[in-house]
Amino acid sequence: MILIVIAVWATLFYAYITEEVYDNVDDGLKNQKIEIIRAAYQDESILKTDTFGINQFKITKSDVQVNKDEKNIFKNDLIYMPYDEDMEPYRILNTYFYGKDKLLYQLEIRTSTVEEDELKYDLATALIILYILIIVSIFLLNTLVFHRAFKPFYQILDKLERYQFGKIKTAVPITSNVSEFMLLDTEIDKMLDRNEKIFQQQKLFIENASHELQTPLAISSNKLELLLEDEQLAEHH
């Protein structure tokens, strides 16, 4: 059960850190958006930036009616980077604003999240390793602690396995910090003593009964022998 709780906790922790990473990236994009819009009011030539350049944003005219809920739209995307010849993860902000000329423009800003993805990967790897270490640690601790804690119990079981009727041995009391084990050992010793007493009583009874029966049996046996030796004994007798 504890492993399930740890796994759920690790998953929630990873989701929380991921959300925090995206929040930080999004805050950076929103700050960049404010700076670009301010610059566009001061220099209208920026409104002609219709391709992504070194500043990683572009502005295009828009005829779309924009709702307030669509003011800032964030998304993740993979974009091909020629210098890496590979697809790189990017966080993209789409937003709209009115320029100084009263026209509606769409602003698209993007930023690479390679470092953020590496951070998430490292975090996920660290959580997995931590989870494995916790499992191993719990297993080892449980094995050592359980074995040590139940050592008196195993001694009691060994005592019961070795016990045989009639072979009286001096009971060696166990030592334990667990009062229940001490009580169990005491009660088992009492039970074994009662069994030995009953066994000895039954043994004595059988010996006495055997001794008492020997005399009548011997007399009966002698009389039968005498009868068999009597030649005058008729068959009808």
Side-chain angles (χ1 to χ4, degrees):
M1 183 64 183
I2 189 171
L3 297 180
I4 297 176
V5 172
I6 293 173
V8 172
W9 172 85
T11 302
L12 294 176
F13 179 75
Y14 178 79
Y16 171 77
I17 294 299
T18 301
E19 187 65 26
E20 286 296 315
V21 168
Y22 281 133
D23 283 344
N24 289 333
V25 174
D26 292 348
D27 288 342
L29 289 173
K30 286 187 284 187
N31 289 333
Q32 191 175 353
K33 161 198 161 182
I34 294 173
E35 292 177 359
I36 293 172
I37 294 175
R38 285 177 179 173
Y41 269 87
Q42 296 174 1
D43 184 3
E44 293 186 7
S45 64
I46 295 178
L47 299 175
K48 299 178 181 179
T49 309
D50 56 355
T51 57
F52 288 103
I54 192 172
N55 293 320
Q56 294 293 301
F57 75 90
K58 70 176 182 178
I59 300 174
T60 54
K61 288 184 179 180
S62 177
D63 298 328
V64 180
Q65 292 294 329
V66 181
N67 297 325
K68 290 183 178 180
D69 295 337
E70 297 178 348
K71 194 171 183 181
N72 293 319
I73 303 173
F74 295 96
K75 68 176 182 178
N76 296 317
D77 200 358
L78 292 174
I79 299 175
Y80 180 76
M81 294 289 106
Y83 54 88
D84 284 336
E85 296 183 352
D86 196 7
M87 303 295 287
E88 298 290 347
Y90 271 77
R91 185 75 167 168
I92 299 173
L93 166 63
N94 277 312
T95 188
Y96 297 87
F97 70 96
Y98 286 95
K100 199 172 182 179
D101 54 5
K102 307 300 182 183
L103 297 177
L104 182 63
Y105 292 89
Q106 180 183 2
L107 171 61
E108 186 175 355
I109 312 171
R110 68 186 187 186
T111 182
S112 175
T113 57
V114 173
E115 293 183 359
E116 287 77 7
D117 283 0
E118 289 179 353
L119 174 62
K120 290 190 294 179
Y121 175 80
D122 292 340
L123 176 62
T125 303
L127 287 175
I128 292 173
I129 294 174
L130 178 62
Y131 185 72
I132 294 173
L133 290 176
I134 290 175
I135 293 175
V136 174
S137 300
I138 290 175
F139 175 77
L140 292 177
L141 287 175
N142 282 344
T143 301
L144 295 175
V145 173
F146 181 84
H147 181 75
R148 178 175 295 181
F150 275 77
K151 185 178 180 180
F153 180 73
Y154 295 137
Q155 292 176 342
I156 295 172
L157 290 180
D158 183 67
K159 180 190 296 185
L160 291 175
E161 290 177 354
R162 294 176 179 272
Y163 173 72
Q164 293 180 359
F165 280 109
K167 295 184 178 181
I168 303 175
K169 294 182 180 180
T170 303
V172 180
I174 65 170
T175 56
S176 174
N177 295 326
V178 182
S179 59
E180 287 78 5
F181 286 151
M182 299 290 290
L183 179 61
L184 176 62
D185 184 61
T186 301
E187 294 300 321
I188 287 178
D189 286 340
K190 291 179 180 179
M191 181 191 69
L192 296 180
D193 288 339
R194 287 195 298 269
N195 289 343
E196 284 298 328
K197 289 179 181 179
I198 294 172
F199 176 76
Q200 293 299 329
Q201 291 174 358
Q202 290 178 345
K203 182 180 179 182
L204 181 60
F205 172 79
I206 293 172
E207 290 176 352
N208 292 335
S210 175
H211 179 72
E212 294 295 330
L213 288 173
Q214 283 180 357
T215 301
L217 288 174
I219 296 172
S220 300
S221 178
N222 290 333
K223 287 185 177 182
L224 287 174
E225 289 178 357
L226 292 173
L227 289 174
L228 291 174
E229 292 175 357
D230 188 359
E231 296 180 353
Q232 297 179 355
L233 185 65
E235 292 183 0
H236 64 276
H237 293 289

